[in-house]
Amino acid sequence: MQYRPLGRTGIKVSPYCLGAMMFGAIGNADHDDSIRIIHKALDAGINFIDTADMYSHGESEEIVGKALKGRRDNVVLATKCFIPMGQDPNQQGSSRRWIYRAVEDSLRRLQTDYIDLFQMHRPAPDTDIEETLSALTDLMRAGKIRAIGSSTFPVSDIIEAQWVAEKRCLARFRTEQPPYSILHRGIEREVLPTLERYGMGALVWSPLAMGMLTGRYRRGAAQPDSTRVAYFPKQMSNENSLDAVEQLIPLAESAGIKLTHMALAFVTAHPGVTSAILGPRTMEQLDDLLAGSEVRLTDEILDAIDAIVPPGTETGPLEANYQTPAIKTAGLRRRPLSERSAA
């Protein structure tokens, strides 16, 4: 396994990051099996694990904590907060109040006294970014976290956070975790160039496009019975995405590689990408993903992919992605009825 710099932190991480979202009730509820999967990934050379407090409501962090007993010092451990963890309106978000509580809870579940990378899971339009960065800076000075990052932030928020950190002499985000795959290349336009400009690492999620790049979702075939179809019906049945998959499958076959391996090799080939987050639920899935670690795409294959899905474009919706209030909230896009006419 090769290792890459995590932005300009000086930390070195593997090009594959083991995502722990599927460990726990929403995925693999067998703790012992999940721990075996984690150990197999570590034995293969993966030294980077990403989880979050909200994955199975803390259960994922608990599993990771148990798996890392005796191996903690050799792992770069990342987690996140922001998503609600209870009914109380203050058990969520990016306030100092909640960040302090969330970090303490994660440390307890992970059975560690420090977190290598602590990330804000989503932007918080209702919270001043200075409030968030100030809290994270204090936690770094206390030795509880080593570096900080963002996840799925719009490029304007990424830049604002950098400017505020510089102006207020606060710790700055060193990483961003955006979605990226052959089918969803929108971050190539602004996000990845911005991350490179600020020396930030990119930990990309959903490199298999929520499973569409496994080859299981085909045009004209019955869709697999999966939670992804239930939660993201528009994305998993999008005609443009299915058309692209039908063209990508023979391209991978002609190159003598599996579609999943081509998809992972594609995202890790971008110079702005630090690690691709793998999210296996079973040992078989992990074995399949690890089997493609040595795949290296030629310029000819990358050119062929560009012809199918042009750089910077999206074949369809990514329903799990962040939507800014300006898009999601109709009231922010419409003047009062009395003011909508020109005269």
Side-chain angles (χ1 to χ4, degrees):
M1 189 71 68
Q2 300 182 37
Y3 297 92
R4 299 174 174 181
L6 184 63
R8 294 178 185 161
T9 63
I11 300 170
K12 301 297 188 296
V13 295
S14 48
Y16 287 171
C17 174
L18 180 64
M21 185 175 73
M22 299 308 295
F23 301 145
I26 66 169
N28 188 340
D30 186 327
H31 285 210
D32 290 337
D33 189 46
S34 296
I35 289 169
R36 285 191 290 269
I37 294 171
I38 294 171
H39 288 171
K40 178 68 174 290
L42 298 180
D43 292 341
I46 292 176
N47 75 336
F48 197 10
I49 297 178
D50 176 76
T51 184
D53 57 0
M54 60 84 62
Y55 294 163
S56 293
H57 204 74
E59 188 180 3
S60 170
E61 288 186 326
E62 292 173 355
I63 292 170
V64 171
K66 290 190 287 187
L68 294 187
K69 287 183 178 179
R71 308 185 71 159
R72 174 68 184 91
D73 289 344
N74 298 320
V75 173
V76 179
L77 180 57
T79 191
K80 303 180 283 291
C81 83
F82 174 80
I83 309 298
M85 288 293 286
Q87 297 299 316
D88 190 311
N90 288 312
Q91 290 182 311
Q92 60 182 299
S94 298
S95 69
R96 174 180 289 269
R97 186 181 193 275
W98 176 240
I99 289 172
Y100 268 54
R101 168 70 183 276
V103 168
E104 293 295 344
D105 288 347
S106 289
L107 289 171
R108 172 177 47 80
R109 288 189 291 259
L110 291 165
Q111 301 184 51
T112 185
D113 55 3
Y114 70 97
I115 296 164
D116 294 291
L117 176 64
F118 193 78
Q119 305 154 99
M120 302 315 302
H121 211 153
R122 289 292 187 272
D126 64 345
T127 307
D128 195 320
I129 189 63
E130 182 179 350
E131 170 83 2
T132 300
L133 292 176
S134 175
L136 294 171
T137 300
D138 288 345
L139 287 165
M140 290 179 67
R141 290 171 178 161
K144 297 187 177 184
I145 54 182
R146 301 291 191 256
I148 58 176
S150 55
S151 176
T152 323
F153 274 39
V155 70
S156 58
D157 288 28
I158 295 171
I159 294 172
E160 181 186 7
Q162 294 291 318
W163 287 357
V164 169
E166 180 179 3
K167 183 177 180 181
R168 299 300 187 188
C169 297
L170 300 171
R172 65 188 184 92
F173 288 140
R174 296 291 187 170
T175 63
E176 158 63 14
Q177 192 174 129
Y180 184 45
S181 70
I182 293 175
L183 301 184
H184 302 103
R185 303 182 61 176
I187 67 169
E188 292 175 344
R189 289 186 175 273
E190 292 188 287
V191 173
L192 285 177
T194 298
L195 300 185
E196 291 182 272
R197 185 180 311 129
Y198 286 104
M200 298 173 66
L203 325 175
V204 300
W205 57 270
S206 195
L208 299 182
M210 305 294 287
M212 293 201 74
L213 293 174
T214 62
R216 296 177 63 219
Y217 300 84
R218 302 290 300 272
R219 173 176 286 286
Q223 287 192 333
D225 183 16
S226 71
T227 55
R228 290 184 177 91
V229 173
Y231 281 103
F232 310 113
K234 294 180 181 179
Q235 177 182 331
M236 307 310 292
S237 63
N238 180 264
E239 295 292 328
N240 291 335
S241 296
L242 291 172
D243 284 344
V245 169
E246 293 302 322
Q247 298 176 69
L248 291 166
I249 289 174
L251 175 61
E253 291 174 347
S254 67
I257 56 179
K258 296 185 67 173
L259 179 61
T260 52
H261 298 166
M262 184 173 77
L264 289 174
F266 169 82
V267 298
T268 57
H270 194 290
V273 170
T274 306
S275 289
I277 298 176
L278 314 181
R281 180 177 53 83
T282 66
M283 187 70 78
E284 292 73 22
Q285 291 173 351
L286 176 65
D287 287 338
D288 174 61
L289 297 172
L290 290 176
S293 63
E294 296 184 1
V295 171
R296 187 177 302 168
L297 301 184
T298 64
D299 287 343
E300 290 74 20
I301 296 175
L302 291 172
D303 288 342
I305 291 173
D306 287 349
I308 297 170
V309 184
T313 65
E314 309 270 341
T315 60
L318 184 58
E319 293 177 272
N321 202 0
Y322 172 72
Q323 293 289 340
T324 66
I327 298 297
K328 193 174 182 179
T329 305
L332 297 178
R333 295 182 279 105
R334 301 170 183 174
R335 291 179 180 271
L337 183 60
S338 62
E339 299 176 11
R340 291 179 191 173
S341 65

